[in-house]
């Protein structure tokens, strides 16, 4: 064993060093893209951070035929597993299609989304992509704790002139970080590539998420163009952009590096279970015990630059599952980079906008009114000077 250890040290191998160097490279400035590549991609922002240089995959070992002159037979492609989308109607002329497959990765269940479309419009309408919460290990596209009937709420948003999609992604039991983020980015690309089918505008897309979905929405907005998070098998810059033009974060954790300081509660972030925290299951390791850089890679704070899109951040001031300091820290980091941002904290309301164990109707109504006002200002129907979102908007909160 001593001889083996000496040999390893002689070769210069230090466990974890390669990973740390790889993570460090990710946060270096990205190389600029050729102008010719950006002409066809809608609203593609510059990459915020440079990924590690990918290593070319070795060519597969092709077995020759008996005489080495015939072309090896090609395997038959595996047909994708799909389900027929369900069609549903809602008041106000809104139609919905459920269970549309946007990604079929080998070895995983088909990944689906639901789309809510308003009455036909003479102009292309902005997209809003919703990302559900559930601690990265539960939840789906049609349920959100603040709303007793979430599909109806999404249809109501669509009726105001938006193409609204709600996405399912791989949960932590299926695949660890960054799988869920890659799925969200794949859904963004899918929506852009099918924009004409639903009357959507591929240059105007907002990502809205709750809780764990808020973390994914913030990551999608701040990590625009980071190739480390590209959807599996998709590294073509000519493909539709994975960037977002706006982010709505409802009570999402923003700093996964923060370690737990007492059983069941973190110092400055999210509740940890007694055996394994939700963040630990998501990352594949407890944040404090992960290899260097892993928790930082999953934290929106590590990717904020002046290129980030406008943000609306909303949270209950009495939240103990994701402490409000997480939202405040995100807001402060955005403002330091002069990114348009708003933060709204609602007094006496906890996680999921719950009060006394049930959704607080007044808070949910007010939060949705703020969302629609933010979207209308960010994506006006007619060219106009957009109002500034630079000021901090806080409901009265005792500090």
């Amino acid at each position: 064993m001593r001889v083996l250890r000496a040999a390893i040290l002689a070769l210069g191998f230090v466990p974890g060093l390669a990973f740390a160097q790889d993570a460090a490279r990710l946060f270096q400035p990205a190389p600029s893209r050729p102008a010719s590549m950006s002409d066809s991609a809608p609203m593609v922002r510059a990459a915020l951070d440079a990924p590690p240089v990918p290593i070319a995959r070795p060519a597969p070992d092709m077995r020759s035929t008996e005489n080495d002159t015939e072309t090896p037979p090609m395997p038959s492609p595996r047909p994708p597993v799909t389900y027929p989308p369900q069609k549903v109607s809602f008041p106000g002329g809104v139609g919905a299609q459920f269970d549309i497959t946007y990604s079929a990765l080998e070895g995983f269940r088909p990944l689906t989304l639901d789309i809510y479309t308003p009455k036909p419009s003479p102009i292309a309408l902005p997209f809003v992509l919703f990302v559900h919460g559930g601690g990265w290990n539960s939840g789906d596209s049609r349920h959100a704790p603040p709303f007793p009937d979430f599909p109806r709420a999404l249809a109501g948003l669509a009726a105001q002139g938006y193409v609204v999609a709600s996405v399912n992604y791989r949960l932590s039991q299926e695949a660890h970080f960054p799988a869920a983020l890659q799925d969200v980015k794949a859904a963004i690309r899918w929506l852009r590539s099918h924009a004409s089918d639903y009357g959507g505008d591929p240059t105007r897309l907002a990502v809205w998420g709750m809780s764990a979905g808020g973390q994914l929405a913030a990551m999608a907005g701040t990590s625009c163009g980071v190739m480390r998070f590209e959807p599996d098998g998709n590294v073509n810059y000519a493909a539709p952009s994975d960037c977002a033009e706006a982010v709505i974060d409802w009570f999402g954790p923003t700093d996964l590096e923060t370690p737990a300081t007492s059983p069941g509660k973190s110092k400055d972030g999210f509740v940890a279970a007694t055996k394994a925290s939700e963040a630990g299951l998501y990352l594949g390791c407890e944040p404090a015990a992960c290899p260097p850089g892993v928790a930082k890679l999953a934290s929106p704070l590590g990717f904020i630059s002046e290129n980030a899109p406008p943000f609306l951040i909303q949270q209950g001031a009495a939240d103990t599952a994701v402490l409000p300091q997480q939202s405040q820290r995100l807001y402060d980091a955005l403002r330091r980079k002069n990114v348009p941002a708003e933060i709204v904290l609602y007094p006496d309301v906890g996680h999921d906008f719950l009060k006394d164990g049930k959704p607080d109707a007044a808070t949910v109504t007010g939060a949705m009114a703020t969302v629609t006002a933010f979207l209308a200002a960010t994506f006006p129907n007619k060219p106009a000077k957009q109002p500034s979102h630079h000021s901090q908007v806080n409901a009265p909160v005792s500090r």
Side-chain angles (χ1 to χ4, degrees), residues 310-349:
F311 266 70
L312 170 63
I313 306 164
Q314 294 174 284
Q315 185 168 9
D319 196 336
T320 58
V322 177
L323 298 188
Q325 288 91 328
Q326 292 267 315
S327 288
Q328 188 67 49
R329 189 177 297 175
L330 175 62
Y331 172 82
D332 292 342
L334 290 165
R335 293 302 305 122
R336 283 194 294 270
K337 294 293 185 179
N338 296 316
V339 176
E342 297 180 10
I343 182 170
V344 185
L345 302 177
Y346 299 93
D348 306 319
V349 179

Side-chain angles (χ1 to χ4, degrees), residues 40 80 83 149 167 196 342 351 379 390:
S40 60
Y83 301 105
D149 187 345
V167 66
S196 61
E342 297 180 10
H351 200 64
F379 301 137
H390 289 209

Side-chain angles (χ1 to χ4, degrees), residues 36-123:
S36 60
M37 288 186 176
S38 63
D39 293 340
S40 60
M43 299 291 288
V44 180
R45 294 186 174 84
L48 307 187
D49 302 273
V53 178
I55 300 175
R57 293 187 179 183
D61 184 12
M62 299 295 292
R63 296 187 180 184
S64 63
T65 55
E66 290 184 0
N67 58 13
D68 274 338
T69 60
E70 300 178 24
T71 302
M74 295 298 293
S76 301
R78 184 174 66 89
V81 180
T82 59
Y83 301 105
Q86 305 176 42
K87 295 184 178 181
V88 184
S89 297
F90 289 90
V94 174
Q97 288 182 275
F98 291 166
D99 302 318
I100 302 171
T101 299
Y102 71 88
S103 179
L105 299 173
E106 187 172 0
F108 296 95
R109 62 187 166 98
L111 298 175
T112 63
L113 52 75
D114 306 330
I115 294 185
Y116 303 78
T117 53
K119 293 178 180 179
S121 169
I123 62 171

